[in-house]
Amino acid sequence: MGRTDLPPGQQEALRKAVRWEWFTIGYTCVTIALIALVVSGSQAMKTAWIEDMLSLIPQISFLLALLVIRHPPTRKFPYGLHRAMAAGHLVAGVALLIVGGNLAVEAVLGLVRAEHPAIGTVQVFGQTVWLGWFMVGVMALVTIGPFIYGPAKAKLAPVLHNKVLYTDADMAKADWTTTVASIVGVLGIGIGWWWLDSAAALFISVGIVWDGYRNSRSAVLDLIDQRARTYDDQERHPLHGRIIAALDAQPWVEASAVRIRDMGQVFHIEAFVVPRHGKVSLDHLEAARRALAEMDWKMQDVVVVPVAELPDEASRGDRGEAKVQPAPSARPRRGM
């Protein structure tokens, strides 16, 4: 109950994820410094700059949550501290939502007020150069990073069932649109299309708001204990079906159902069983609990509850999700 250890495959994936998060933080800090050198009157550039700063939140939340969730359960926190991952997820989502909304309002006001941004010039080796070319060059350069660390994190997220890491990877994959939009905004100023800069800033802001909405919604739904879903929230988690199939295969079980809550990378399982002929031994219950706990590393807390009637809210019809993975047999141990 309440284990905090990981199997070897997940430990290796976690080490890689931590390295990529530190790399991303370093890369983003360099990016922020480079943009600070060239940012000028372009609203799109400023919005992209702030977006880069905000993109640090998921990585910092992930690393901080890792420090917390490794602590074992105590009487004060009997379920452990796995929820810290979901709390960090929510903080990141709300921050993106608020700042993105504020930037979107500023972009709309810029269009309404018909503000004409201006980009100056700089002297380079005695030559006068439009600063916009440096802005375009820097933004084109910083586009490279997300194409490297985004896919790397996307491969690790399902291995760890980590929604913060998946969201971080998803945001990285979409970062190139922000960069391209800011370049379009700068070039728009250069050719005299003042409105293109505010339009590009609005486009970037809407992307930030959308990321914030998705993060906040996913984190809140997990915190209020929606039925466990896959790492990308696209489907019900297949463990529902595998657990029911494993329990129904036992000769002493007449019917079964399960409730699974996502604690943030690991699950809390409540399995309900109706014993055949209304009788069940403590050995059978303990054997079933152990078999379920050994079924998957994410099953951190498992309880098996004998009941006379299955609760309506519990899942009982997901056997199709079990797919091809065989269900382990729950046999009583000798001497139990």
Side-chain angles (χ1 to χ4, degrees):
M1 300 284 284
R3 294 175 303 165
T4 55
D5 56 318
L6 294 174
Q10 277 64 36
Q11 288 182 21
E12 178 60 24
L14 185 60
R15 282 193 288 270
K16 290 181 180 178
V18 170
R19 287 197 292 267
W20 277 116
E21 293 295 41
W22 279 115
F23 173 82
T24 306
I25 290 175
Y27 184 89
T28 306
C29 288
V30 172
T31 298
I32 292 170
L34 285 175
I35 298 177
L37 296 174
V38 297
V39 69
S40 182
S42 168
Q43 182 64 33
M45 277 289 290
K46 291 178 182 175
T47 306
W49 190 32
I50 295 173
E51 195 270 348
D52 275 346
M53 297 179 192
L54 292 173
S55 68
L56 289 172
I57 297 176
Q59 293 113 44
I60 295 173
S61 299
F62 177 82
L63 294 174
L64 288 178
L66 285 183
L67 296 176
V68 177
I69 64 175
R70 64 182 58 180
H71 292 284
T74 63
R75 288 187 176 178
K76 186 176 182 179
F77 297 100
Y79 297 101
L81 297 172
H82 298 289
R83 290 284 199 196
M85 195 62 75
H89 194 189
L90 180 61
V91 170
V94 171
L96 290 170
L97 196 58
I98 293 175
V99 179
N102 186 50
L103 292 172
V105 170
E106 286 188 16
V108 171
L109 290 176
L111 285 171
V112 172
R113 294 168 181 165
E115 295 175 350
H116 289 59
I119 298 176
T121 58
V122 293
Q123 293 292 320
V124 180
F125 302 115
Q127 299 292 323
T128 301
V129 181
W130 183 51
L131 186 58
W133 293 122
F134 289 99
M135 298 162 73
V136 171
V138 167
M139 296 309 289
L141 181 64
V142 302
T143 307
I144 301 171
F147 283 105
I148 299 173
Y149 56 73
K153 294 179 187 178
K155 291 180 182 177
L156 297 172
V159 179
L160 294 168
H161 184 72
N162 193 296
K163 294 183 179 180
V164 178
L165 191 61
Y166 173 75
T167 303
D168 186 20
D170 204 33
M171 289 173 61
K173 286 191 294 183
D175 270 353
W176 70 271
T177 57
T178 297
T179 307
V180 172
S182 64
I183 292 174
V184 170
V186 171
L187 294 178
I189 297 174
I191 62 176
W193 293 359
W194 63 269
W195 52 269
L196 194 56
D197 183 60
S198 293
L202 180 60
F203 176 79
I204 298 171
S205 304
V206 170
I208 298 173
V209 170
W210 174 243
D211 286 338
Y213 168 75
R214 286 190 307 153
N215 279 274
S216 302
R217 181 178 181 275
S218 175
V220 167
L221 289 175
D222 283 341
L223 287 171
I224 61 176
D225 292 334
Q226 74 164 336
R227 179 167 62 175
R229 302 183 70 81
T230 52
Y231 67 95
D232 54 2
D233 276 334
Q234 294 298 311
E235 300 176 351
R236 294 175 296 182
H237 201 283
L239 276 177
H240 286 91
R242 291 178 58 195
I243 291 171
I244 293 173
L247 291 173
D248 285 356
Q250 303 308 309
W252 58 274
V253 174
E254 182 173 313
S256 64
V258 66
R259 292 193 305 195
I260 306 179
R261 64 178 69 169
D262 192 332
M263 302 290 284
Q265 196 166 273
V266 296
F267 292 162
H268 179 197
I269 313 293
E270 293 173 313
F272 302 93
V273 291
V274 177
R276 199 174 296 280
H277 309 303
K279 295 181 180 179
V280 61
S281 69
L282 184 60
D283 289 352
H284 279 107
L285 290 175
E286 178 61 16
R289 189 193 69 78
R290 288 182 180 276
L292 295 183
E294 293 169 359
M295 184 184 293
D296 191 287
W297 67 272
K298 290 187 288 298
M299 314 250 263
Q300 294 283 312
D301 285 294
V302 180
V303 292
V304 179
V305 186
V307 293
E309 186 177 349
L310 297 177
D312 291 336
E313 64 274 17
S315 174
R316 67 184 75 176
D318 298 328
R319 280 188 227 176
E321 296 170 340
K323 297 183 180 176
V324 297
Q325 299 193 44
S329 175
R331 298 180 181 278
R333 290 187 171 182
R334 289 183 178 180
M336 292 182 62

